[in-house]
Amino acid sequence: RFALALRCYRSQLCGQGTMQSSALVLALALGSASAFMPAPQVRASTARSVEADPWFPDAVATFGRVEGASAPATSSGGFKESFLEASPYTDQSSIPVNTFKAKAPYMGKVVSVKRIVGPQATGETCDVVIDTAGGIPYWEGQSFGVIPPGTNPKNGKPNSVRLYSIAASRYGDDMSGKQTTLCVRRATYWCPELKADDPAKKGVCSNYLCDAKPGDEVKMTGPS
């Protein structure tokens, strides 16, 4: 084709060609040039693969490059994306609500308490991680109740429940499904006369949680 294109081009230069021959020359030249170009490399396709998860089978999906794959990889005959644990995802019928109440609370154990604000911050906020052993499941957006030890000095009755928003996914920060996290701001009252925090007016439950030590038991209610 390249030789034919060259002959046609020469004939056109000699005045023997027409507009049709010019078009033919261009088409043949382009076709001939493409024959000398290297073949394009086939890019590896991207397919979905499933990683085994020790706590939640079929719950973790990853995206990776799979050489030569032309279709999504499957596990056990079909890919199941179940990390939302609801089908369809808008279904809220299985959300746990008030599994444990104040008369029969769940007993968790403190894993760690960490201050998460700087030394010059106004007040103190702590990250409180609690081991639940997976016995009080919850969903994102819910809250747990905490019953601080002791009694109310005003009526002599046991302290009532305080609610705290859950600051972790349903799997916990360690993705084990056996922990939860509360973000607690220590409640204090600055007395202008004493020019110090008034211990008689400090928050009972927030101070209890911020002062907790690993291994301390925590009475929990909810989730709500």
Side-chain angles (χ1 to χ4, degrees):
R1 279 190 291 178
F2 184 77
L4 178 59
L6 182 59
R7 287 198 298 271
C8 292
Y9 179 69
R10 287 176 177 175
S11 64
Q12 185 183 20
L13 292 178
C14 295
Q16 300 175 359
T18 61
M19 291 296 294
Q20 288 79 6
S21 65
S22 298
L24 178 61
V25 169
L26 179 60
L28 291 174
L30 291 176
S32 301
S34 63
F36 294 96
M37 295 179 63
Q41 295 182 353
V42 179
R43 297 180 61 185
S45 60
T46 300
R48 175 174 287 184
S49 60
V50 180
E51 286 185 353
D53 186 277
W55 299 293
F56 303 97
D58 297 327
V60 179
T62 59
F63 291 87
R65 296 179 63 81
V66 181
E67 298 293 332
S70 58
T74 59
S75 174
S76 302
F79 179 81
K80 183 180 179 183
E81 197 171 60
S82 60
F83 59 86
L84 291 176
E85 297 184 3
S87 180
Y89 71 91
T90 54
D91 181 21
Q92 299 186 6
S93 60
S94 60
I95 295 180
V97 178
N98 293 326
T99 309
F100 293 90
K101 300 183 179 180
K103 292 183 178 180
Y106 184 83
M107 196 68 69
K109 286 188 176 182
V110 175
V111 175
S112 63
V113 177
K114 180 181 179 181
R115 179 187 172 102
I116 56 175
V117 294
Q120 303 301 322
T122 302
E124 181 180 18
T125 301
C126 294
D127 180 87
V128 183
V129 180
I130 300 174
D131 181 13
T132 64
I136 183 169
Y138 60 91
W139 279 27
E140 296 80 2
Q142 291 188 296
S143 60
F144 276 135
V146 175
I147 305 176
T151 58
N152 189 330
K154 295 182 179 179
N155 53 27
K157 296 182 180 181
N159 285 319
S160 57
V161 176
R162 273 74 163 179
L163 295 179
Y164 293 93
S165 297
I166 299 172
S169 73
R170 70 192 69 178
Y171 306 123
D173 291 341
D174 65 347
M175 295 299 292
S176 69
K178 298 179 181 179
Q179 292 184 357
T180 190
T181 302
L182 304 179
C183 188
V184 182
R185 188 181 192 279
R186 186 189 295 271
T188 58
Y189 173 75
W190 176 265
C191 179
E193 296 180 356
L194 297 175
K195 295 183 178 179
D197 291 336
D198 188 345
K201 296 181 180 180
K202 68 179 183 180
V204 175
C205 194
S206 64
N207 281 269
Y208 158 67
L209 289 173
C210 290
D211 292 334
K213 300 294 187 296
D216 288 354
E217 294 185 336
V218 179
K219 294 180 178 179
M220 304 172 64
T221 65
S224 58

